């Protein structure tokens, strides 16, 4: 604020001079302040740790009247919130509506941001779609490369970017899908889901495919709004999920400056070597709308290393961009200081020298990851002699890659060493200062010559004598903290080969051997081969008169033995043959499926057909009749004569 404005303010107060003369104390007014420094915890990001979920824990939420939708900026994997469901009258098909994110920039006359979708994971497996865009044809276990086929019609996922009438992967509105005539509960035309990105998931109950209910599902939601200043502006002005500030109360110029700096490129070393570039700060993550607004603003500030400020005179909220470039607004020295200079020296017991940065890793479906930096390796010159190890942890909720996480961690780690705090009072010329300004402080007693400080708070003071002054809170400033540092991207070790116990590889059809149709109790043997991958404890054997039967057309025959050692069978291993008795005469196909304590595989393909014509025994008066039939095991040989053969007298 300029001096003339301050004088005008004082003039208003001078109109009541008698009241001021009768006052025996000083009246203070905070003109501007850095909110992040005054109200936030000492350790960056520490205020959110207890309240906010850890990165990577965006689980699917069951129905509840208290659920709130997250806000996605940039790209993020979210589990969503189950907000509605229905079932068909035959209890076979289930439909869920899963809300994923608020749609941003939908207020104050803005054009809604155009949401898109990336990969979808069902129970940890990548969902593969048919050419129509919404029918699921497979679930791939990326750790093993194995794919479970899903026949068409058993599973569908429809996506909507903004309300029921904006489909992404189909031409059908959500109301059309949820108005299926077979559903017990149907949507009407009022179910618009405005300003919401959501999905509808349908499954047909099928235990052999593992489709028995809604599994943990993660959707990649992509919002083109990812520039730091644009995201902060949207959150500050939103009346639905944000601070509900009018546009006039937001310092748009400071947010534009934040965009310009954050979108600037810096060079880093990829994990495979060479060089590459990326923007300094991009937001990619979610804001938990259950949290307090100030906590979310602090979280956003942490992810672009800026400071949130408020100017009481103009009534505006904005940011302070922390960059290595600066201009000095004022030199504070003996000529303009009024009172004593109060110094708050650093306390090495509270000064951390190791930092653990927690962030959702976008390369692993936003699962939890950590980047740790040690000042002894990053910049040992900033360590005090014999300084004890002190590690601090904080979360970057809107950062989803290791390069940005390390970049931020380095700045915060070095910035924490510049923790000298100074308070002083200067004459009315200090009223031109604003929080965030860079000043120099010269004082012979402290040995400071034009030492750099950042203004954290400016308080206008009215003395009972009519004197106007400015009380300043200053924080040590070192531009070198904000220099671009060499960063090497790290890539987590892949989970290749460690498959889910619920995943099985290729299923092999069983074979029929050793048919004995003429023995007293006719039987034959079936041999199964374990799946090409996965954990198999035993196999189930089923048969049917159809080569591609429904579940109702399969008949259970028996199981193989559990391995004698108690250990699971190996992959593609031949299991002990199972002898089957009492199978009626007919033309049969045989199927197998693998079983462990956690899961059951899909059915194998059909075996070759078995023409089973066992010998049958009948009592005729006091005699036993024996009926023989040709093609006992389908090999083409003939047992003759056909018809009845009488022999033996029964007791």
């Amino acid at each position: 604020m300029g001096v003339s404005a301050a004088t005008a303010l004082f003039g208003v107060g001078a109109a009541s001079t008698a009241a001021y003369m009768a006052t025996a104390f000083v009246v203070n007014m905070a003109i501007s302040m850095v909110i992040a420094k005054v109200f936030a915890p000492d350790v960056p990001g520490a205020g959110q740790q207890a309240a906010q979920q850890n990165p990577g824990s965006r689980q699917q939420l069951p129905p509840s009247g208290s659920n709130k939708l997250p806000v996605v900026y940039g790209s993020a994997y979210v589990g969503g919130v189950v907000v509605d469901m229905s079932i068909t009258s035959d209890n076979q098909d289930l439909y869920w509506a899963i809300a994923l994110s608020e749609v941003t920039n939908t207020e104050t006359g803005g054009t809604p941001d155009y949401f898109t979708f990336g990969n979808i994971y069902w129970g940890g497996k990548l969902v593969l779609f048919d050419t129509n865009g919404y029918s699921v044809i497979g679930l791939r276990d990326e750790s093993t490369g194995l794919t479970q086929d899903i026949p068409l019609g058993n599973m569908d996922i429809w996506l909507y970017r903004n309300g029921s009438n904006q489909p992404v992967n189909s031409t059908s509105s959500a109301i059309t899908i949820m108005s299926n005539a077979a559903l017990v509960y149907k949507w009407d035309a009022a179910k618009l889901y405005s300003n919401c990105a959501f999905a509808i998931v349908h499954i047909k109950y099928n235990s052999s495919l593992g489709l028995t209910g809604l599994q943990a599902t993660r959707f990649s939601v992509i919002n083109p709004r990812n520039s730091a200043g644009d995201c902060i502006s949207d959150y500050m002005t939103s009346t639905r999920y944000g601070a509900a500030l009018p546009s006039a109360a937001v310092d748009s110029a400071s947010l534009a400056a934040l965009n310009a700096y954050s979108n600037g490129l810096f060079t880093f070393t990829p994990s495979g070597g060479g060089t590459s570039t990326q923007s300094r700060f991009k937001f990619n993550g979610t804001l938990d709308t259950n949290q307090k607004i100030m906590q979310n603003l602090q979280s956003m500030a942490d992810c672009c290393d800026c400071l949130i400020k408020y100017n009481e005179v103009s009534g505006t909220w904005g940011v302070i961009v922390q960059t290595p470039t600066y201009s000095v607004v004022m030199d504070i020295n003996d000529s303009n200081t009024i009172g004593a200079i109060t110094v708050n020296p650093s306390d090495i017991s509270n000064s951390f020298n190791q930092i653990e940065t927690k962030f959702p890793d976008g390369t692993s479906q936003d699962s939890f990851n950590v980047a740790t930096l040690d000042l002894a390796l990053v910049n040992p010159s900033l360590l005090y002699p014999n300084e004890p190890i002190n590690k601090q942890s904080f979360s970057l909720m809107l950062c989803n890659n290791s390069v940005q996480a390390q970049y931020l961690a380095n700045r915060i780690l070095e910035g924490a060493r510049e923790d000298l705090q100074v308070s002083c009072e200067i004459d009315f010329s200090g009223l031109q200062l604003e929080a965030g300004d860079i000043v120099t402080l010269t004082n012979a007693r402290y040995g400071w010559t034009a030492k750099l400080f950042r203004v954290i708070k400016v308080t206008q003071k009215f003395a009972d004598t009519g004197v106007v002054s400015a009380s300043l809170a200053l924080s040590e400033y070192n531009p070198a903290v904000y220099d671009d540092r060499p960063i090497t991207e790290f890539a987590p070790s892949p989970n290749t080969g460690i498959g889910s116990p619920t995943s099985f590889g290729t299923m092999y059809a069983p074979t029929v051997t050793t048919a004995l149709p003429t023995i007293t109790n006719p039987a034959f043997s079936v041999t199964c081969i374990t799946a090409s991958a996965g954990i198999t404890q035993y196999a189930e054997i089923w048969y049917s008169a159809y080569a591609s039967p429904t579940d109702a057309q399969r008949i259970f025959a028996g199981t193989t033995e559990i391995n004698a050692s108690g250990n699971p069978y190996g992959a593609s291993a031949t299991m002990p043959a199972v002898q089957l008795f009492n199978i009626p005469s007919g033309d049969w196909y045989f199927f197998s499926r693998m079983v462990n304590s956690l899961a059951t595989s899909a059915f194998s393909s059909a075996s070759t057909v078995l023409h089973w014509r066992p010998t049958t025994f009948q009592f005729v008066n006091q005699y036993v009749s024996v009926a023989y039939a040709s093609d006992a095991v389908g090999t083409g040989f003939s047992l003759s004569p056909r018809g009845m053969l009488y022999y033996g007298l029964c007791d």
Side-chain angles (χ1 to χ4, degrees):
M1 184 181 76
V3 176
S4 58
T7 304
L9 267 174
F10 176 66
V12 173
S16 303
T17 305
Y20 275 107
M21 295 301 292
T23 304
F25 54 86
V26 176
V27 178
N28 297 337
M29 179 182 71
I31 295 179
S32 65
M33 68 180 71
V34 177
I35 303 297
K37 288 293 184 184
V38 175
F39 295 111
D42 293 336
V43 179
Q48 302 95 279
Q49 301 307 302
Q52 289 186 328
Q53 295 180 359
N54 284 331
S57 61
R58 301 174 192 143
Q59 301 300 320
Q60 206 160 55
L61 299 179
S64 172
S66 61
N67 284 332
K68 294 183 180 179
L69 294 186
V71 181
V72 172
Y73 291 119
S75 63
Y77 280 93
V78 295
V81 179
V82 178
V83 292
D84 209 349
M85 74 167 295
S86 187
I87 190 171
T88 54
S89 55
D90 61 1
N91 296 328
Q92 294 300 301
D93 293 78
L94 297 97
Y95 290 73
W96 292 271
I98 303 175
L100 303 175
S101 172
E102 298 274 9
V103 176
T104 52
N105 202 42
T106 54
E107 301 155 283
T108 63
T111 301
D113 290 322
Y114 193 87
F115 278 58
T116 55
F117 299 86
N119 289 337
I120 300 173
Y121 288 84
W122 172 273
K125 298 175 183 177
L126 176 64
V127 176
L128 305 178
F129 286 97
D130 186 42
T131 53
N132 64 16
Y134 61 86
S135 294
V136 178
I137 59 173
L139 301 173
R140 178 178 297 161
D141 185 342
E142 293 184 311
S143 63
T144 61
L146 302 174
T147 299
Q148 175 189 351
D149 293 331
I150 303 294
L152 283 175
N154 283 271
M155 185 175 182
D156 303 284
I157 300 177
W158 294 273
L159 302 170
Y160 298 87
R161 65 169 51 92
N162 185 355
S164 298
N165 294 316
Q166 294 195 31
V168 174
N169 60 341
S170 73
T171 58
S172 301
S173 74
I175 296 172
T176 300
I177 300 299
M178 295 299 290
S179 298
N180 187 323
L183 290 175
V184 174
Y185 156 71
K186 303 176 183 65
W187 282 13
D188 56 31
K191 297 292 190 298
L192 296 177
Y193 280 54
S194 301
N195 302 321
C196 176
F198 68 101
I200 294 177
V201 177
H202 155 250
I203 66 167
K204 180 181 289 292
Y205 186 91
N206 190 320
S207 59
S208 64
L209 295 175
L211 301 178
T212 58
L214 182 64
Q215 294 194 26
T217 310
R218 297 171 78 84
F219 299 82
S220 172
V221 180
I222 304 169
N223 181 356
R225 182 176 296 270
N226 61 6
S227 294
D230 292 343
C231 297
I232 293 175
S233 175
D234 174 77
Y235 187 71
M236 282 184 170
T237 56
S238 174
T239 57
R240 193 170 67 251
Y241 51 79
L245 294 173
S247 298
V250 177
D251 183 359
S252 58
S254 69
L255 295 174
L258 177 60
N259 275 345
Y261 180 67
S262 298
N263 293 337
L265 302 178
F266 73 97
T267 302
F268 68 95
T269 302
S271 57
T275 59
S276 185
T277 60
Q278 74 173 44
S279 299
R280 288 188 182 89
F281 311 119
K282 288 289 188 182
F283 283 178
N284 290 287
T286 65
L287 283 185
D288 183 357
T289 50
N290 288 294
Q291 304 301 315
K292 295 180 179 178
I293 289 173
M294 197 61 233
Q295 288 179 327
N296 277 336
L297 283 174
Q298 181 61 53
S299 180
M300 299 173 87
D302 286 346
C303 292
C304 59
D305 197 22
C306 72
L307 303 173
I308 304 294
K309 70 172 182 177
Y310 175 66
N311 189 306
E312 189 170 342
V313 174
S314 61
T316 57
W317 290 77
V319 297
I320 298 166
V321 186
Q322 303 199 91
T323 74
T325 59
Y326 64 94
S327 58
V328 176
V329 177
M330 178 184 292
D331 179 50
I332 300 173
N333 50 52
D334 291 343
S335 66
N336 52 18
T337 54
I338 296 177
I341 296 176
T342 303
V343 177
N344 297 315
S346 59
D347 180 359
I348 63 172
S349 64
N350 293 323
S351 181
F352 57 89
N353 45 41
Q354 291 183 1
I355 192 165
E356 184 181 66
T357 310
K358 305 176 183 179
F359 66 98
D361 191 342
T363 64
S364 301
Q365 305 169 42
D366 284 1
S367 60
F368 183 84
N369 212 333
V370 174
T372 303
L373 296 183
D374 189 339
L375 193 64
L377 300 176
V378 173
N379 194 343
S381 64
L382 297 179
L383 287 171
Y384 298 110
N386 301 318
E387 182 175 341
I389 294 175
N390 189 357
K391 181 166 73 173
Q392 292 288 351
S393 298
F394 70 102
S395 294
L396 297 175
M397 308 300 288
L398 295 164
C399 167
N400 71 345
N401 75 85
S402 68
V403 174
Q404 184 176 330
Q406 291 180 79
Y407 186 86
L408 283 163
N410 188 93
R411 289 172 61 130
I412 295 174
L413 180 60
E414 293 192 12
R417 313 302 289 185
E418 310 293 336
D419 56 358
L420 181 62
Q421 308 292 318
V422 172
S423 300
C424 65
E425 185 175 344
I426 65 174
D427 57 30
F428 71 93
S429 63
L431 298 180
Q432 65 184 296
L433 296 175
E434 187 176 352
D437 287 343
I438 303 300
V439 299
T440 56
L441 182 55
T442 300
N443 186 277
R445 290 185 178 274
Y446 287 106
W448 296 337
T449 302
K451 182 173 177 59
L452 292 171
F453 286 89
R454 185 188 293 281
V455 178
I456 300 301
K457 184 177 181 181
V458 181
T459 304
Q460 183 171 327
K461 302 180 69 173
F462 298 91
D464 55 359
T465 60
V467 175
V468 178
S469 62
S471 177
L472 305 179
L474 308 175
S475 179
E476 188 175 21
Y477 173 76
N478 181 358
V481 167
Y482 310 107
D483 288 338
D484 293 339
R485 298 290 185 180
I487 301 293
T488 299
E489 179 186 31
F490 69 84
S493 299
N495 192 29
T496 304
I498 306 178
S500 167
T502 63
S503 296
F504 298 87
T506 303
M507 297 296 299
Y508 304 103
T511 57
V512 178
T513 60
T514 320
L516 302 170
T518 62
I519 62 175
T520 302
N521 191 2
F524 55 87
S525 297
V526 176
T527 300
C528 297
I529 299 176
T530 62
S532 63
I535 299 173
T536 299
Q537 293 177 311
Y538 64 91
E540 293 178 349
I541 301 172
W542 298 68
Y543 66 100
S544 174
Y546 303 91
S548 300
T550 64
D551 286 345
Q553 293 168 338
R554 288 191 182 93
I555 304 170
F556 180 71
T559 65
T560 63
E561 297 177 358
I562 294 176
N563 204 334
S565 65
N567 296 323
Y569 288 95
S572 303
T574 300
M575 308 176 78
V578 178
Q579 195 168 43
L580 299 179
F581 300 90
N582 302 318
I583 303 298
S585 177
D587 296 333
W588 302 117
Y589 297 91
F590 289 84
F591 309 84
S592 65
R593 64 177 180 179
M594 305 299 116
V595 181
N596 61 40
S597 59
L598 297 177
T600 301
S601 75
F603 283 102
S604 70
S605 56
S607 68
T608 56
V609 64
L610 168 67
H611 304 290
W612 180 238
R613 304 291 186 269
T615 301
T616 59
F617 293 86
Q618 295 180 345
F619 284 100
V620 179
N621 296 325
Q622 293 179 319
Y623 293 89
V624 178
S625 67
V626 182
Y628 292 97
S630 63
D631 289 344
V633 291
T635 58
F637 66 86
S638 177
L639 297 177
S640 60
R642 287 183 177 272
M644 308 301 293
L645 173 65
Y646 298 93
Y647 70 98
L649 180 65
C650 295
D651 293 332

